[in-house]
Amino acid sequence: MKRVVIVGMGFGGLRAARALAGKGLEVVLLDRQNYHLFQPLLYQVATAALEQESIAYPIRTMARRWRGTRFRLCEVTGADLEGRRVVTTDGAVDYDYLMLAAGCVTNFFGMESIERHAYDLKELDHAVDLRNRLFCSLELAAEEPAPERRRMLLTFVVVGGGPTGVEFAGALAELVRYLVPADYAELRGDVIRILLIEAGERLLPDLPKELQAYALDRLEEMGVEVLLATRVIGAEPGLVLLQDGTKIGAHTLFWAAGTCAVPLAAALNLPKANGGRIAVQPDLTVAGHPEVFVVGDMAYLEQAGQPLPMVAQVAMQGGEYAARAILKRERGEAVAPFSYWDKGIMAAIGRNAAVVYSFGIKLSGFFAWLVWLGLHIFYLIGFRNRLLVLLDWAYCYLFHERQIRLITRSGKESPCR
Amino acid sequence: MKRVVIVGMGFGGLRAARALAGKGLEVVLLDRQNYHLFQPLLYQVATAALEQESIAYPIRTMARRWRGTRFRLCEVTGADLEGRRVVTTDGAVDYDYLMLAAGCVTNFFGMESIERHAYDLKELDHAVDLRNRLFCSLELAAEEPAPERRRMLLTFVVVGGGPTGVEFAGALAELVRYLVPADYAELRGDVIRILLIEAGERLLPDLPKELQAYALDRLEEMGVEVLLATRVIGAEPGLVLLQDGTKIGAHTLFWAAGTCAVPLAAALNLPKANGGRIAVQPDLTVAGHPEVFVVGDMAYLEQAGQPLPMVAQVAMQGGEYAARAILKRERGEAVAPFSYWDKGIMAAIGRNAAVVYSFGIKLSGFFAWLVWLGLHIFYLIGFRNRLLVLLDWAYCYLFHERQIRLITRSGKESPCR
């Protein structure tokens, strides 16, 4: 029986595994986590709207229903493409087909000071770290007598005007708006600053101008200070440095200004494009290795002169395409090139406020927000997660309450000091 | 305005704070966590039945309703009882009344090898660590070719036949029974051993003999090997050492065989009793310091010739008593000694199985299990937590599913290797 090894159980790997199951192939799933993570909602874990457990789903529970599939918890560190085997922290695994779908990590563009001091949001633990940091900032500020240090503790800098930066800034503004007056009497006279800094000329660059303007207006209405055409070039403890020489005193720096392929991509002797992504053929294989597919954020492919975006939809469609391509190849059928079907893009800004751009239709406001809610629930894995997220959202919406605001791990590595 | 400082927001501190709020005193709550933790359900977090967020409740959200109360996130490291001030990681805090309610930590009885290798269950992070360990053991075993090492990975040793040890062993047995056949095809031929080791002659020493026998029978039925009159004296990686020289190969050692007062008790120049607990007067104050109360697990007091047990009920009643005593003292009224009203004791063993001993009534089986469920829901703080726990339990009960079995933090400090 031929063996397909899938590296990474994100959106791409998951769709591929599902499509390959029960089709007479042996499918081996490799991931360094034992769960699939619904990354688009990480920012809600970071802002205490959702518990971490509700956006993750055990891989083995999914694989239970997939005949011929097994899972191994390990990290893939390299591959011998000629010998058709991947190298993992737990030994080598041979393959007949390989699907690389390990996603991306945050790109700090070589700025070490930012990498050292900034928070990012790619993994579940990142969200918990950031949540701990936010609530520690408030606790520290509540006890801080020196006005300058207090201002620094209450300044939150978000870098990157893409969906992650916009959604996080909006969620943080809402958190602060309702929570601080209720629970932090000590901070009632203070101004809490949330800065959203974007190097480009506008927020949400992939959206039409009206929706960009709507997002900007809403964020500013919610108290977020948006700085466009502004570049962050470094950080020190409690300080964010801008290219024009300005220094912003800020205890928390969240970096959502770029992504690049996971380190595994660099370990493979394959042609790379922008952000270390692996340049693939129109059928998502790598040149000279028709048995090696790369899907999702790890792959670089242009369509209609534009590189495919690093979004969940590309990964899902790529995973499904690659699975079908393998099955066709096995049956001796020809495989047409991958064609990405863009279903649209969206971002939530806050309560009753989102933007959706799909098939030329532009939506903003309450209805867009409902669409955003519905689609996120739909794409979540598992009935339990869907129910939990719905309840959490209803709870937040009705009671303006963020009860999950726990500062964990403060015993071992206190994020407060 | 006189100031009451409460150290620790467990069951005792919480009840005291609630009783003191809005009574014309300044109440300062100090805790090194920003949440109240419902410790009796920690073992369910460790066995992936509940998410960590559902058994914790933010202190500030409670304090919001308590007039005259404020919270500070800090660790109390000592006190100057003559000068009436506590020393914290965040400076000194003066008091007129002090209530020490910081609880207990695990007692390893000076056995460093056990302290180094064993897991315990006093804090939220402990539960997550233990959960990570359990699921890593299964993952490692699934990939392990050597039979002996495989057996070691699949052996779980629980030390301590009190409620925590019994409840954890039962929950683990149930987890393994339903989950492994469904999700770990690799382990279908293996025996998973759960050993419950108790130094005394019986489990649940505070219960009547019939209930002890019931618990033992049920656990054995569920596949738990119960070793009574057996003493664990040391541990090495993958090995548990018994007093009779036996070595048990086991990857996971959970220690629930003893508690002692938190280190803060040792830092105070006050008379100590068993387990480092502070010996208190019949009115829960310390000799010579009528303004210093000690409640809950930190305090040692005998009633009817027996020391008060280290259970939630004693802490709750002690906290309420101490609060009332302070209010009476302020009004110049006399204070009667503390009298513990024992409402009973109970332990859940598994699905439809628990033991309850209350006011001389002995219950076991399904009805006891319902009582256990109802009381735990009742004592949980917050509507959201109650709802979540109910849903989680219904989900586990109906679907035999443990979806929360995430291995977290494996990126930074992998519990797998």
Side-chain angles (χ1 to χ4, degrees):
Chain A
M1 202 191 292
K2 287 205 179 163
R3 182 189 286 167
V4 185
V5 170
I6 302 178
V7 180
M9 284 302 288
F11 290 112
L14 192 154
R15 293 298 178 113
R18 204 160 69 179
L20 287 169
K23 296 289 196 318
L25 292 163
E26 182 190 355
V27 183
V28 179
L29 315 176
L30 308 178
D31 200 298
R32 63 201 183 84
Q33 309 283 13
N34 74 334
Y35 51 84
H36 165 75
L37 176 65
F38 193 76
Q39 280 188 340
L41 290 177
L42 272 178
Y43 81 96
Q44 295 219 355
V45 173
T47 51
L50 295 177
E51 51 281 275
Q52 48 179 319
E53 287 85 352
S54 62
I55 63 163
Y57 196 87
I59 293 168
R60 282 187 185 271
T61 303
M62 300 190 289
R64 185 193 295 175
R65 296 184 291 266
W66 298 339
R67 256 191 310 134
T69 302
R70 63 195 182 86
F71 168 66
R72 285 179 69 165
L73 180 72
C74 61
E75 182 156 3
V76 175
T77 52
D80 166 11
L81 298 181
E82 306 314 320
R84 297 198 179 178
R85 59 173 52 186
V86 293
V87 182
T88 81
T89 48
D90 193 33
V93 184
D94 294 329
Y95 64 79
D96 298 291
Y97 290 101
L98 175 63
M99 199 178 305
L100 296 169
C104 66
V105 294
T106 300
N107 194 348
F108 294 100
F109 302 100
M111 294 182 287
E112 279 172 29
S113 69
I114 295 177
E115 189 162 357
R116 198 159 44 241
H117 297 295
Y119 288 78
D120 66 332
L121 213 43
K122 284 285 155 201
E123 300 182 11
L124 208 47
D125 294 335
H126 295 168
V128 175
D129 287 339
L130 184 52
R131 181 183 78 190
N132 286 345
R133 181 69 166 197
L134 297 179
F135 291 106
C136 278
S137 298
L138 296 178
E139 293 296 338
L140 288 173
E143 292 304 322
E144 179 58 54
E148 186 143 355
R149 218 181 115 71
R150 206 168 157 112
R151 260 197 304 278
M152 181 272 285
L153 288 165
L154 294 176
T155 302
F156 303 90
V157 172
V158 180
V159 187
T164 307
V166 165
E167 293 189 321
F168 177 81
L172 180 58
E174 214 155 72
L175 168 74
V176 159
R177 178 175 173 183
Y178 293 104
L179 187 75
V180 171
D183 282 1
Y184 290 84
E186 304 93 327
L187 301 177
R188 268 168 214 169
D190 290 279
V191 175
I192 296 179
R193 291 182 73 193
I194 302 167
L195 286 87
L196 176 60
I197 301 181
E198 162 61 36
E201 295 290 333
R202 34 183 158 272
L203 299 179
L204 303 170
D206 297 333
L207 286 177
K209 282 206 173 138
E210 303 120 89
L211 295 183
Q212 292 172 344
Y214 172 84
L216 180 64
D217 283 356
R218 286 292 296 139
L219 283 173
E220 290 186 335
E221 238 178 80
M222 291 161 71
V224 176
E225 300 170 46
V226 181
L227 306 182
L228 297 171
T230 305
R231 210 172 272 278
V232 172
I233 57 160
E236 291 169 24
L239 223 51
V240 177
L241 312 174
L242 304 187
Q243 197 172 28
D244 67 5
T246 312
K247 293 183 176 186
I248 301 172
H251 190 235
T252 306
L253 169 61
F254 168 47
W255 185 261
T259 55
C260 55
V262 289
L264 170 61
L268 301 173
N269 186 20
L270 289 171
K272 305 295 182 330
N274 253 348
R277 297 160 77 188
I278 298 168
V280 295
Q281 312 289 103
D283 66 350
L284 300 187
T285 63
V286 297
H289 288 285
E291 76 284 2
V292 179
F293 291 82
V294 188
V295 306
D297 293 350
M298 267 184 101
Y300 181 91
L301 181 65
E302 295 189 2
Q303 266 181 21
Q306 287 288 320
L308 291 179
M310 294 167 86
V311 297
Q313 281 295 333
V314 171
M316 292 192 230
Q317 293 178 29
E320 270 167 19
Y321 167 86
R324 278 197 313 270
I326 289 170
L327 295 173
K328 280 187 180 170
R329 204 84 73 68
E330 284 300 292
R331 292 193 301 261
E333 296 171 21
V335 178
F338 174 60
S339 162
Y340 171 55
W341 185 49
D342 186 358
K343 293 186 188 168
I345 183 169
M346 57 185 174
I349 298 152
R351 180 172 284 265
N352 307 337
V355 287
V356 174
Y357 180 55
S358 182
F359 304 113
I361 298 165
K362 299 166 203 164
L363 285 178
S364 63
F366 180 69
F367 188 64
W369 182 72
L370 285 184
V371 170
W372 185 97
L373 292 179
L375 283 173
H376 278 75
I377 292 285
F378 176 78
Y379 280 112
L380 262 180
I381 304 291
F383 169 72
R384 186 183 168 285
N385 285 353
R386 288 180 185 144
L387 181 66
L388 220 64
V389 168
L390 264 181
L391 282 172
D392 281 330
W393 284 348
Y395 192 86
C396 279
Y397 189 77
L398 295 173
F399 305 117
H400 300 281
E401 190 66 89
R402 303 288 173 106
Q403 198 190 300
I404 313 168
R405 54 182 211 274
L406 314 178
I407 302 173
T408 51
R409 292 273 158 199
S410 57
K412 279 178 189 168
E413 28 154 352
S414 173
C416 279
R417 291 288 154 192
Chain B
M1 203 192 289
K2 285 204 180 165
R3 181 190 287 167
V4 185
V5 170
I6 302 178
V7 179
M9 284 302 289
F11 289 115
L14 192 155
R15 293 300 178 113
R18 202 160 71 179
L20 286 169
K23 296 290 198 316
L25 292 164
E26 183 191 354
V27 182
V28 179
L29 315 175
L30 307 179
D31 200 298
R32 63 203 183 84
Q33 310 283 15
N34 74 333
Y35 51 84
H36 166 75
L37 177 64
F38 193 75
Q39 280 187 339
L41 290 177
L42 272 178
Y43 81 96
Q44 296 219 356
V45 173
T47 51
L50 294 177
E51 51 281 276
Q52 47 178 320
E53 287 85 351
S54 62
I55 63 163
Y57 196 88
I59 293 169
R60 282 188 185 270
T61 303
M62 300 190 289
R64 186 194 294 175
R65 294 185 292 264
W66 298 339
R67 255 193 310 136
T69 302
R70 64 196 180 86
F71 168 67
R72 285 179 69 165
L73 180 72
C74 62
E75 181 156 4
V76 176
T77 52
D80 166 12
L81 298 182
E82 307 313 319
R84 298 199 177 176
R85 59 174 51 186
V86 291
V87 181
T88 83
T89 47
D90 192 34
V93 184
D94 294 328
Y95 63 79
D96 296 292
Y97 290 101
L98 175 63
M99 199 178 306
L100 295 169
C104 66
V105 294
T106 300
N107 194 348
F108 294 99
F109 302 102
M111 294 182 286
E112 279 172 29
S113 70
I114 296 178
E115 189 161 358
R116 198 158 45 239
H117 297 294
Y119 287 79
D120 67 331
L121 213 43
K122 284 285 154 201
E123 300 181 12
L124 207 47
D125 294 334
H126 295 167
V128 175
D129 287 339
L130 184 52
R131 182 184 78 189
N132 286 344
R133 180 70 166 194
L134 297 179
F135 291 106
C136 278
S137 298
L138 297 178
E139 293 296 336
L140 289 172
E143 292 305 322
E144 179 58 53
E148 185 142 357
R149 217 183 117 70
R150 208 169 155 109
R151 261 197 304 279
M152 180 273 283
L153 288 164
L154 293 176
T155 301
F156 302 90
V157 172
V158 180
V159 187
T164 306
V166 165
E167 293 189 322
F168 178 81
L172 181 58
E174 215 155 73
L175 168 73
V176 159
R177 177 175 175 185
Y178 294 105
L179 188 74
V180 171
D183 283 1
Y184 289 85
E186 304 93 327
L187 301 178
R188 268 168 213 169
D190 291 279
V191 175
I192 296 180
R193 291 183 72 192
I194 301 167
L195 286 88
L196 177 59
I197 302 181
E198 162 61 37
E201 295 291 334
R202 35 185 159 273
L203 299 178
L204 303 170
D206 297 332
L207 285 177
K209 283 207 172 136
E210 303 121 89
L211 296 183
Q212 291 171 345
Y214 172 84
L216 180 63
D217 284 354
R218 285 293 294 138
L219 283 173
E220 289 186 335
E221 238 177 79
M222 290 161 70
V224 176
E225 300 169 47
V226 181
L227 306 183
L228 297 171
T230 306
R231 211 173 271 276
V232 172
I233 57 159
E236 290 168 25
L239 224 51
V240 177
L241 314 174
L242 305 186
Q243 197 170 29
D244 66 6
T246 310
K247 292 181 178 187
I248 302 172
H251 190 236
T252 306
L253 169 61
F254 169 48
W255 184 262
T259 54
C260 56
V262 288
L264 170 61
L268 300 172
N269 185 21
L270 289 170
K272 304 294 180 334
N274 254 347
R277 296 160 76 189
I278 297 168
V280 294
Q281 311 288 103
D283 66 351
L284 300 187
T285 63
V286 296
H289 288 285
E291 76 284 3
V292 179
F293 291 83
V294 189
V295 305
D297 292 351
M298 269 185 99
Y300 182 91
L301 181 65
E302 294 189 2
Q303 266 178 23
Q306 287 289 320
L308 291 179
M310 292 167 87
V311 296
Q313 280 295 334
V314 171
M316 291 193 232
Q317 293 179 29
E320 269 167 19
Y321 167 86
R324 279 198 311 271
I326 289 170
L327 295 173
K328 279 187 180 169
R329 204 84 73 66
E330 284 300 292
R331 293 193 300 261
E333 296 171 20
V335 178
F338 174 60
S339 162
Y340 171 55
W341 185 49
D342 187 357
K343 293 185 187 169
I345 183 169
M346 58 187 172
I349 298 150
R351 182 171 285 265
N352 307 338
V355 287
V356 174
Y357 181 55
S358 181
F359 305 113
I361 298 165
K362 300 167 203 162
L363 284 179
S364 63
F366 181 70
F367 189 62
W369 183 71
L370 285 184
V371 170
W372 185 96
L373 291 179
L375 284 173
H376 278 76
I377 292 285
F378 176 78
Y379 280 113
L380 262 180
I381 304 290
F383 169 72
R384 186 184 168 284
N385 284 354
R386 288 180 185 143
L387 181 66
L388 220 62
V389 168
L390 263 181
L391 282 172
D392 282 329
W393 284 348
Y395 193 85
C396 279
Y397 189 76
L398 295 174
F399 304 117
H400 300 282
E401 190 66 88
R402 303 286 173 108
Q403 200 191 297
I404 313 169
R405 53 182 211 275
L406 314 177
I407 301 173
T408 50
R409 293 273 158 201
S410 56
K412 279 177 190 170
E413 27 155 352
S414 172
C416 281
R417 293 286 155 193

